[in-house]
């Protein structure tokens, strides 16, 4: 269910307060029991949709601590 997954991602990012990578979000979803594994494919498609819908912003890049690759970092868009 996309709406449930959107809510889970927003909840995690609200709780974390810091920008996060797709893999970091996926790991947290797994820790909370939202997904059966920490595979980033559980979060990545929904993150792309949240970006298109203006809920998230890409705020930079960093080296992923799980893969060693340079990846995008996301945060919730602040509403003024």
């Amino acid at each position: 269910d996309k709406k449930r997954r959107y809510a889970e991602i927003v909840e995690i990012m609200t709780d974390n307060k810091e920008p996060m990578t797709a893999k970091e979000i996926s790991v947290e979803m797994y820790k909370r029991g939202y997904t059966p594994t920490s595979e980033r494919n559980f979060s990545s498609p929904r993150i792309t949709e949240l970006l298109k819908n203006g809920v998230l912003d890409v705020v930079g890049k960093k080296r992923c601590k799980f893969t060693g690759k340079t990846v995008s970092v996301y945060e919730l868009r602040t509403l003024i």
Side-chain angles (χ1 to χ4, degrees):
D1 181 18
K2 286 184 181 184
K3 288 185 179 185
R4 186 189 71 211
R5 191 69 77 218
Y6 294 150
E8 292 167 353
I9 292 169
V10 169
E11 174 189 305
I12 287 167
M13 297 195 72
T14 300
D15 291 349
N16 195 52
K17 306 282 191 241
E18 295 292 323
M20 300 176 78
T21 68
K23 180 64 176 178
E24 290 169 342
I25 293 167
S26 294
V27 168
E28 186 61 27
M29 291 170 76
Y30 175 67
K31 286 180 184 175
R32 294 182 185 205
Y34 299 156
T35 58
T37 72
S38 63
E39 172 60 45
R40 79 179 269 289
N41 288 334
F42 283 108
S43 67
S44 191
R46 303 296 80 85
I47 288 170
T48 300
E49 293 163 1
L50 289 169
L51 282 167
K52 288 179 183 176
N53 292 332
V55 177
L56 298 178
D57 286 319
V58 175
V59 295
K61 301 268 186 190
K62 77 175 191 179
R63 188 160 308 279
C64 178
K65 62 184 176 185
F66 300 99
T67 66
K69 295 180 182 179
T70 301
V71 295
S72 295
V73 181
Y74 308 95
E75 74 177 8
L76 290 172
R77 180 171 284 182
T78 49
L79 303 175
I80 301 172

